[in-house]
Structures are given as structure tokens and as C-alpha cells.
Amino acid sequence: RTLSGRTLEALAEYMKSGKASKIVVMTGAGISTSAGIPDFRSPETGLYANLARLNLPYAEAVFDIAYFRENPEPFYALAHELYPGKFRPTITHSFIRLLQDKGLLLKLFTQNIDCLEREAGVDDDKIIEAHGSFARQSCIDCNQPYPEEEIKRHIENKEIPRCHHCKGLVKPEIVFFGEKMPATFFQNQSLPMQADLCIVMGTSLTVQPFASLPGMTREQTPRVLINKERVGGIGSGSDDVLILGDCDEGVKRLAEACGWLEELEALWAK
Ligand code: OAD
């Protein structure tokens, strides 16, 4: 065993000892709900439970490339609500930044498209945006990049942007169902094998291949789940630690046990 027990205290002891110096963090929509962005699958509040107004054949169609080609309106209606710039990173985002500042962050794998990790100050070369993001946009036919200022204006005005070259549909480079994941994901997919700690936060681990990442860690690598519910079989390994409940509360408890709470709160308040 690597930890002296499957408790938060044992985990903090391990982190303070300096043995956790290559931490991989894996995140999903649950780390941004306290910023005001709904997650996907929470029963009452999740996006997929609240899309009736968009008249979709099924909820995930809003992020399906074949459906988007036929009817881009529902996606753009949603983009109007979710477009980055209106939301502030949570203390959970700042916790990832703190790990980076301490030189402990090997890589952050995120499924989120809200760019809040970047806004919290996590460096570009530390982030793998597995499902893309709103950071760039291009034409789905000729792949020409499209200017950010223009898409912003169109989304604000509830208009659908069209390519200047071929009049094709423009789409933020979010990975839709039916599209390839970015090459950087596949290039870094086996990185968790090098980690000495794996922290999974705010994800239901239901979408592959992302959901397989925690399973890429070595047998002796402790895995921590900071989430409202148990997911992905984490908790069954001999060095798995479960911190169940709200993730902002979970990271604060962990930071406190490590003696980092003041630093974390100061970083978040900036
Ligand atoms: P989900 O909505 O599937 O899962 C969010 C998880 O976070 C659930 O387990 C919630 O219980 C938990 N959660 C919510 N709020 C929380 C909080 N404040 N504290 C702790 N836990 C909380 O979101 P993802 O796992 O990110 O893909 O979904 C994966 C992918 O499915 C997304 O990237 C998106 C979606 O379809 C694409 O659109 C391609």
C-alpha cells in the first residue's frame, strides 16, 4: 500500500511528504456548477434534463455533429447561455492552479469547455482539453478559422455565424458526438501511468475514452475522487480515497489537511 489508510488524513500526509510530485487531475462539469454553469447529467439541474425548450429529438443531439449540420439553432441557443466570459472560476479551479504553482501538477485532463481552468491561471501546456473548448472556432466544411470577435458578436445577437470563404456553418472547436478527439488527448493518454497521484473531480465518468483515464494509473498510485457521487469504480482500489459531497468543500478540506487552505483562499480571492 502507498497510503497509510484510505482517508483524507492519510492522503494529506502523503501529499505533504513530497511523494506526490506528479499529480494528474481529471475534471468534468461538476467543478463548474458552483460558478453557475449547469452540468450535463444531474437529474434536476443538469443540461440534459432542461433542454425541452430546444425541441431536440434526444438531449445529446445538441452536441451531435450530424444533428448540428441539419439544425444548428439549438446549439447556438445554448452557446448564448454558456459562452465564456460571464463566469468566474471556482475554488476547485484555484486548487488545480495551486498544485501547478507548487510544481506538483503533471497534467490536467478536462472535459470542460468553459475555459475556467485557464482563467484560474493553469498554463496552456498543463491542460488537455479532451472535448475541445470555446477558445477557437472554424468552418465545419472547409476548416477555415473564424475570428473570435465575430463569433462572440453573433452569439450575443443570437445569430448563426457562416464561413466567410464557403458559407459553411461555423462551430466552436468543441468536440461533438461523432467528431474526433484532439490529437493532444491521444498523445497524452498514457501520461497517467507516470503519475504518483490521481485526482478525479466533478465528472460522472460516463463518456469514453475520457472515462478510461483513471484506469491508466499504476496499481500503486493513489486515486482520489472528489465528487457528489461515486463513479467509475473509484473507491475499490486499496489506495483509493473518496471525498464525497460538494467539490469546493472537498478541496477546502484537503487543502486544510495539507496546511494550504490560506494560500488557496488567497489565490481564489485574487
Ligand atoms: P456529468 O454531468 O455527466 O457529470 C457531472 C458529475 O459531477 C456528476 O457525477 C455530479 O454528481 C457531479 N457534480 C455536480 N455538481 C457537483 C459539485 N458541486 N460538487 C461535486 N460534484 C458535483 O458531466 P461530465 O462528466 O463532465 O461531452 O460529462 C462528460 C461529457 O458528457 C461532457 O464533456 C459532455 C457531455 O456530453 C460533450 O459534450 C462531448
Side-chain angles (χ1 to χ4, degrees):
R1 295 185 63 157
T2 307
L3 301 183
S4 60
R6 288 160 47 165
T7 60
L8 183 133
E9 290 70 29
L11 170 65
E13 199 183 298
Y14 177 67
M15 291 172 76
K16 282 191 293 185
S17 75
K19 287 183 192 141
S21 60
K22 285 185 256 168
I23 304 177
V24 286
V25 177
M26 298 162 191
T27 58
I31 71 161
S32 297
T33 52
S34 72
I37 306 173
D39 68 4
F40 297 91
R41 295 178 182 81
S42 281
E44 309 265 301
T45 53
L47 261 184
Y48 291 152
N50 289 286
L51 293 177
R53 64 203 151 91
L54 298 180
N55 288 320
L56 294 159
Y58 56 97
E60 272 125 330
V62 73
F63 295 116
D64 186 289
I65 190 65
Y67 184 80
F68 178 81
R69 272 184 188 284
E70 296 304 314
N71 185 9
E73 271 171 39
F75 168 74
Y76 273 107
L78 203 60
H80 179 77
E81 292 166 32
L82 299 182
Y83 200 73
K86 302 181 209 166
F87 305 98
R88 190 179 176 275
T90 68
I91 199 159
T92 301
H93 293 97
S94 294
F95 181 72
I96 306 169
R97 160 79 190 273
L98 183 67
L99 295 178
Q100 168 183 286
D101 288 359
K102 290 184 176 295
L104 307 176
L105 182 67
L106 180 62
K107 215 57 124 176
L108 162 69
F109 292 86
T110 182
Q111 298 165 94
N112 296 347
I113 55 176
D114 54 33
C115 301
L116 288 185
E117 294 96 346
R118 285 170 191 277
E119 242 170 87
V122 182
D123 293 338
D124 183 62
D125 65 344
K126 290 286 179 194
I127 310 179
I128 306 294
E129 284 169 334
H131 295 166
S133 84
F134 274 104
R136 279 177 297 278
Q137 48 285 322
S138 53
C139 170
I140 63 169
D141 292 324
C142 74
N143 299 322
Q144 277 283 336
Y146 189 83
E148 185 179 330
E149 282 315 308
E150 287 185 45
I151 194 165
K152 231 185 204 169
R153 203 181 63 235
H154 283 302
I155 290 178
E156 260 164 35
N157 299 340
K158 301 192 175 179
E159 298 156 356
I160 294 174
R162 292 271 175 183
C163 176
H164 294 309
H165 300 265
C166 75
K167 300 274 178 280
L169 284 165
V170 170
K171 177 176 102 23
E173 292 181 3
I174 295 165
V175 181
F176 276 29
F177 292 107
E179 287 191 304
K180 275 201 306 248
M181 306 256 291
T184 52
F185 176 82
F186 296 105
Q187 285 152 6
N188 288 280
Q189 200 177 12
S190 54
L191 206 60
M193 267 186 246
Q194 296 172 29
D196 44 29
L197 178 64
C198 170
I199 304 179
V200 179
M201 307 192 277
T203 172
S204 62
L205 287 179
T206 47
V207 175
Q208 291 291 358
F210 193 97
S212 301
L213 286 174
M216 301 289 287
T217 52
R218 287 169 299 173
E219 182 81 39
Q220 68 271 29
T221 301
R223 299 186 305 176
V224 188
L225 177 70
I226 308 180
N227 207 50
K228 276 198 175 153
E229 50 175 356
R230 265 187 83 163
V231 297
I234 303 177
S236 49
S238 60
D239 288 299
D240 287 356
V241 178
L242 294 173
I243 304 177
L244 296 181
D246 179 69
C247 56
D248 291 343
E249 290 310 313
V251 299
K252 279 198 256 176
R253 280 174 54 209
L254 179 56
E256 183 161 36
C258 290
W260 302 344
L261 186 58
E262 266 181 40
E263 229 176 316
L264 174 64
E265 284 181 331
L267 196 58
W268 187 52
K270 263 189 198 165

